[in-house]
Amino acid sequence: MKILRTFMTLALVVFTVSVAQAKSKDIVDTAAGAGQFKTLVAAVQAAGLVDTLKGDGPFTVFAPTDEAFAKLPAGTVEDLLKPENKDKLVAILTYHVVPGKIMSSDIAGKSTEVKTVQGDTLAVDATDGVKVDAANVVTADIGASNGVIHVIDTVVMPN
């Protein structure tokens, strides 16, 4: 019984430390560590937005997966990563970022528009699942030290 109690205490300590470490990572480190945002992280680096997204925030990031980027026409990502297209890349990436920390519970059952860092608005419809423009939120509320990530299945584009 004493061994079981010691094991349970150790397991609780390990779990608590793991949760604390996950929340101590900023948005960039959380995305990089997830493994499904390699294209997004490369784009953030090419756009020079790493320091911004490592900043205090808080930020809400609608993060397209690698599969979402793969849906774009052939050659699109490669073109956007070229230095001469940096302004366009920055505009697209910052269209995926909203100032503040918006959790799924904040918008549940609502349909609204939110202003992005890029300056345009995103249509958010959380009345039947959650859609952001034409993208579906496939995983919500991934916490980071400076905001939250919502995983989307499509790259959304500003007007």
Side-chain angles (χ1 to χ4, degrees):
M1 191 65 168
K2 185 176 180 181
I3 293 173
L4 179 60
R5 200 171 316 131
T6 303
F7 174 76
M8 294 300 286
T9 302
L10 180 60
L12 180 61
V13 167
V14 168
F15 176 76
T16 303
V17 168
S18 295
V19 168
Q21 286 175 341
K23 288 186 179 179
S24 69
K25 290 183 178 179
D26 59 50
I27 285 174
V28 174
D29 292 339
T30 300
Q36 62 181 340
F37 303 113
K38 292 179 184 124
T39 307
L40 177 61
V41 171
V44 166
Q45 291 169 340
L49 295 172
V50 171
D51 289 342
T52 301
L53 292 175
K54 284 180 153 294
D56 292 338
F59 304 107
T60 298
V61 176
F62 295 100
T65 61
D66 293 332
E67 291 79 18
F69 279 100
K71 290 182 190 178
L72 294 172
T76 301
V77 173
E78 293 78 11
D79 282 343
L80 288 170
L81 294 176
K82 292 178 180 174
E84 62 267 24
N85 295 323
K86 183 177 178 179
D87 290 344
K88 186 173 183 179
L89 180 61
V90 168
I92 292 168
L93 293 174
T94 56
Y95 186 64
H96 289 79
V97 181
V98 176
K101 185 176 182 180
I102 304 170
M103 303 301 286
S104 60
S105 60
D106 297 331
I107 59 166
K110 299 176 186 173
S111 183
T112 189
E113 290 187 343
V114 293
K115 188 166 184 166
T116 68
V117 170
Q118 180 264 351
D120 287 345
T121 57
L122 276 171
V124 179
D125 184 350
T127 57
D128 183 20
V130 181
K131 286 191 81 76
V132 179
D133 281 354
N136 294 301
V137 174
V138 295
T139 305
D141 299 338
I142 299 172
S145 63
N146 61 345
V148 63
I149 298 171
H150 302 293
V151 182
I152 57 175
D153 65 355
T154 303
V155 177
V156 292
M157 297 289 189
N159 293 328

